[in-house]
Every structure is written in C-alpha cells, then in structure tokens.
Amino acid sequence: MNVVKLQSTYDISVEVAKIITEQINNKPDSVLGFATGSSPVETYKRIIEKYEKGEVSLKNITTFNLDEYCGLPRDNVNSYFYFMKDNLFGKTDVDFSKVNFLSGTSGEIEEECKAYRKAIEEAGGIDIQILGIGTNGHIGFNEPSDSFTDGPFKVKLTQSTIDSNKKYFEDGNMPTHALTMGIGDIMRAKKIVLIATGEAKAKAIFGTVKGEVTPMCPASVLQNHPDVTIFIDEEAGKLL
Ligand code: GLP
C-alpha cells in the first residue's frame, strides 16, 4: 500500500488525473471504475481540463461506477448516474453506451447484481478503480459488517452514512438502501487509487493503513491488494 501525502485537494487532483489520463492514453479502451462523493470531484475537473486541451479522449473507455441509491432514476439530481454525467461524463466525449451503472430502480435486484458482475468480467476487469472513503471506513457502499462481501449486492445504509450524505438531499428524503459493488469486485481491479481529504477521514484512514484487516473497517482490506495508492492531505493523515 502506497500512501502519498500532498498539500491540497488540488495537488491530489493533479496527480490522480495524471494517473487516469496516462492509463487512457496508453490503453484507449481502458476499463475504469469511478466513484462519486466530493473526494474525486476535483480530479474529474482536471480530467475535463485535459480533455478540453485535447490531451486525452475518453471516447473508447468503458466505465463502471461503484454504487447507486435504490429508488432514484437516472434523471434524479441526487442519483449517482446524474452526478457522473454532471461532473465528468457529460463534459467529455465519454460514449454513454459504454457507461455502466447498477440500476437503483431495478425490480430484479439479484439479476441486476449478477449481470453487473458479469459485465465487469466480460469487459476484461477494471484497470483502475477510483475510491473515496466513508468516515466509517466504507468503500463504495460496503458498510462495516461481520464479513467481506464479494459481488454486487443491495445494502442498508448505516446511520453514519445517512448523516454524512443527507446534506445533498434538499428535501431531506435520502434513500435508506443502495446497490453497490462488493469488496470482491473492488479487490479484483488491477489498480486502486483512493482519495481522502479532511480531518473527518483521519480515523478511517488510520484504520485503512495501520489497522487490522477487518470488515468492521471495510477499506482495511486494501492492505491485501498488490497495487493500491492512497492520496491524502495533512488532515486525513493526521493519525498515521
Ligand atoms: C458515499 C459513496 C462513496 C464515497 C463516500 C465518501 O458514501 N458511496 O463511494 O466514497 O460517499 O464521500 P465524500 O467523498 O463526499 O466524503
């Protein structure tokens, strides 16, 4: 596990955007796993800037997002699909026919989850998975639990996650469940880049880097992955 501490969110975004765009330029049909939340937003801005300067084209990439809220259709402003469209995909030449998302409105959850796992496999696996981290150590929406999950599944969100994310729901009606890639899906990615900034993430980052590997801090499992880089700022790294 490679931990890189940088001065600012901006500095982190420059480095992570470099990793992603180099990957795409070396392999234009790369398979990329994207994350939502505030942590990767600056990185997505740097990728858009590079796209606008003609330094990278996203038109041949295939994408898989980590998770989606149950009950929110794609055109809902709080859906993660909408988030990705607004913060990256819609501002570049991403081919939407190659954008993959778990469907939060699917009536056939089990089928939906199986199909997502199969689609990742059929695409050849994820080349780089971008991650944020929850204050409780969750990755995707893999909340602390008794065991590590494998494939995609439906999860009941913890109160801690609801408390952290409800600010985005203006009417206060945040979904209580989500569909998420499992820990196995994340661990099968060839390379993983995690971004964490701010003091609120310090405990989760300590657990991830220095804690025991336990499903009670889901991100700690990354210690067992051969190619993980964690980008943090001073505040997120203050307990290390
Ligand atoms: C949500 C997402 C995670 C994300 C986390 C942290 O729960 N499902 O993928 O990492 O939020 O979000 P933020 O980056 O806004 O702190």
Side-chain angles (χ1 to χ4, degrees), residues 35-40 66-67 80 132-134 138 140-141 161 165 168 201:
T36 53
S38 56
S39 303
L66 281 169
D67 45 17
Y80 281 163
I133 187 169
H138 77 230
F141 268 135
T161 297
N165 290 4
Y168 299 114
K201 302 290 171 70

Side-chain angles (χ1 to χ4, degrees), residues 104-177:
T105 53
S106 169
E108 302 285 341
I109 305 285
E110 213 171 300
E111 291 311 309
E112 175 69 17
C113 291
K114 272 193 201 148
Y116 204 65
R117 178 171 179 165
K118 196 159 167 246
I120 296 173
E121 274 164 22
E122 283 176 359
I126 292 171
D127 290 308
I128 301 183
Q129 176 65 56
I130 304 296
L131 295 176
I133 187 169
T135 51
N136 61 4
H138 77 230
I139 44 178
F141 268 135
N142 288 272
E143 299 281 32
S145 75
D146 298 342
S147 56
F148 287 119
T149 55
D150 186 13
F153 68 106
K154 180 175 177 177
V155 62
K156 182 174 175 0
L157 302 174
T158 60
Q159 195 55 45
S160 142
T161 297
I162 292 173
D163 290 344
S164 299
N165 290 4
K166 68 180 177 209
K167 56 179 179 285
Y168 299 114
F169 292 79
E170 277 178 8
D171 58 3
N173 272 336
M174 181 177 156
T176 54
H177 291 76

Side-chain angles (χ1 to χ4, degrees), residues 7-77:
Q7 285 287 325
S8 67
T9 304
Y10 181 84
D11 292 347
I12 292 173
S13 72
V14 169
E15 289 308 311
V16 181
K18 193 165 161 233
I19 293 171
I20 296 172
T21 54
E22 277 177 0
Q23 168 70 35
I24 299 172
N25 285 333
N26 288 333
K27 183 186 169 202
D29 61 348
S30 288
V31 180
L32 298 177
F34 284 111
T36 53
S38 56
S39 303
V41 168
E42 283 296 310
T43 294
Y44 296 160
K45 284 187 189 157
R46 301 294 85 74
I47 297 174
I48 294 166
E49 286 164 12
K50 282 175 180 284
Y51 162 72
E52 286 171 346
K53 284 194 219 150
E55 292 173 12
V56 69
S57 165
L58 281 65
K59 73 170 191 272
N60 291 315
I61 67 168
T62 296
T63 76
F64 288 91
N65 258 79
L66 281 169
D67 45 17
E68 181 58 282
Y69 287 115
C70 286
L72 299 190
R74 290 182 159 198
D75 59 357
N76 184 298
V77 289

